[in-house]
Amino acid sequence: MDNKPPKSYFVSATIIQVLLPIFCWCLPYARQTVADADYGVQRIKDMEDLKTGRLCIGTTFGLSALITDAIARFSEQYPEIHFEVMFLKQDELIDAVRERKVDFALTFEMMEKDDLLTERPAKTYHLCAIVSDQNPLAQQATVSLRQLADYNICTPARGMNARRMFDSLTNKKGIELQPKLEINEIHTLLHLVRTGRWVAILVDSITHGEEGLCAVPLREAALPMPVVWLYPKDMYIRKAMQKFMELI
């Protein structure tokens, strides 16, 4: 008995093999066309003076307090605007902006520049030791990495911005400082810090709106961590986006 697949199977496979590279080549242009059409609609909606619309914002976990405070204040002024917020690691966030899965993103300055993306300065923060306000370190103006060796250190998971900066700093200074806990959920990390038994390594922005916490600058971390708005170049900046950016 002949078990060969029907001939049409081979024809279909051949067609797919020929057309797939064409589809892949056209995909970025198709995305751009859809995006341009959407921005055309948004220009028209801008005439409604922020009475309706949607904002899809991407951000990193370390800036959650900053973004949520801005959303609360924005919603008081423009209650009809619908929000969608995505929390992602920075590499995932950059991809989301490139692929236009978000309108724009609030994140830390990119380590490698991208000619297709615009970075607009928003804030500047620094890497700090985040401690309970009852911790003796809270009374210090700065804290050294060597001092932190006497404490239980917790950090964000690898790949997150503060963790990458922390690893780079300890390697550069030649100080071995292994965290006792690594976690990819910032709010749980802050709960641990409030117990007084842990010291977290994060940017000072994390204490924004948080009670019972204190950010103590790292003596060795003099370099700033600029925060930027990230969006595709030549993108139409809608009124809602512009107003939201002004709140940060």
Side-chain angles (χ1 to χ4, degrees):
M1 182 176 179
D2 188 359
N3 292 323
K4 290 183 178 180
K7 187 175 181 180
S8 61
Y9 170 85
F10 294 103
V11 173
S12 299
T14 301
I15 292 174
I16 291 173
Q17 187 175 10
V18 171
L19 294 181
L20 186 58
I22 298 175
F23 289 148
C24 292
W25 179 80
C26 290
L27 184 58
Y29 298 98
R31 283 178 175 155
Q32 183 63 50
T33 300
V34 172
D36 289 343
D38 180 62
Y39 292 141
V41 172
Q42 296 302 332
R43 285 174 186 259
I44 296 173
K45 286 187 175 181
D46 262 0
M47 297 178 184
E48 298 179 3
D49 197 26
L50 298 176
K51 293 180 181 178
T52 185
R54 176 184 69 93
L55 276 181
C56 186
I57 305 171
T59 191
T60 60
F61 299 95
L63 299 173
S64 58
L66 188 64
I67 202 83
T68 51
D69 178 67
I71 289 173
R73 288 186 287 133
F74 186 92
S75 295
E76 288 181 0
Q77 300 179 53
Y78 311 106
E80 299 303 319
I81 300 295
H82 173 75
F83 278 97
E84 294 177 22
V85 182
M86 297 175 63
F87 285 92
L88 301 167
K89 293 181 180 178
Q90 189 174 45
D91 54 350
E92 298 170 334
L93 195 56
I94 292 171
D95 287 341
V97 174
R98 286 186 185 128
E99 296 170 11
R100 298 178 187 266
K101 293 179 180 178
V102 296
D103 295 322
F104 58 138
L106 182 68
T107 184
F108 294 97
E109 190 177 56
M110 293 190 297
M111 298 181 70
E112 296 181 7
K113 301 304 178 183
D114 188 318
D115 292 338
L116 299 179
L117 301 178
T118 294
E119 288 181 291
R120 176 172 165 178
K123 292 267 188 182
T124 299
Y125 291 108
H126 294 81
L127 198 65
C128 291
I130 308 299
V131 301
S132 162
D133 57 9
Q134 302 302 311
N135 191 304
L137 292 178
Q139 307 305 316
Q140 296 186 189
T142 61
V143 61
S144 70
L145 290 174
R146 297 194 184 280
Q147 266 186 289
L148 293 180
D150 297 329
Y151 292 84
N152 291 323
I153 302 298
C154 52
T155 67
R158 294 184 184 278
M160 297 176 74
N161 290 287
R163 177 58 185 274
R164 286 194 293 186
M165 180 68 79
F166 175 68
D167 289 344
S168 174
L169 181 64
T170 53
N171 289 336
K172 182 178 179 180
K173 298 297 181 180
I175 298 174
E176 187 173 350
L177 193 59
Q178 294 297 327
K180 298 288 182 64
L181 172 69
E182 303 173 54
I183 189 169
N184 67 349
E185 208 288 302
I186 299 299
H187 293 292
T188 301
L189 189 153
L190 296 181
H191 284 310
L192 289 169
V193 172
R194 285 191 178 94
T195 67
R197 298 181 57 196
W198 298 85
V199 174
I201 306 300
L202 294 165
V203 290
D204 45 0
S205 62
I206 204 68
T207 60
H208 182 79
E210 297 283 348
E211 295 183 2
L213 297 177
C214 181
V216 185
L218 296 179
R219 201 166 297 159
E220 295 87 349
L223 293 178
M225 294 181 67
V227 174
V228 298
W229 290 108
L230 189 66
Y231 50 87
K233 281 195 172 174
D234 303 323
M235 187 184 78
Y236 174 63
I237 305 299
R238 292 180 281 137
K239 286 182 182 178
M241 293 173 61
Q242 183 63 43
K243 293 292 185 182
F244 190 85
M245 289 180 182
E246 291 171 2
L247 290 177
I248 299 295

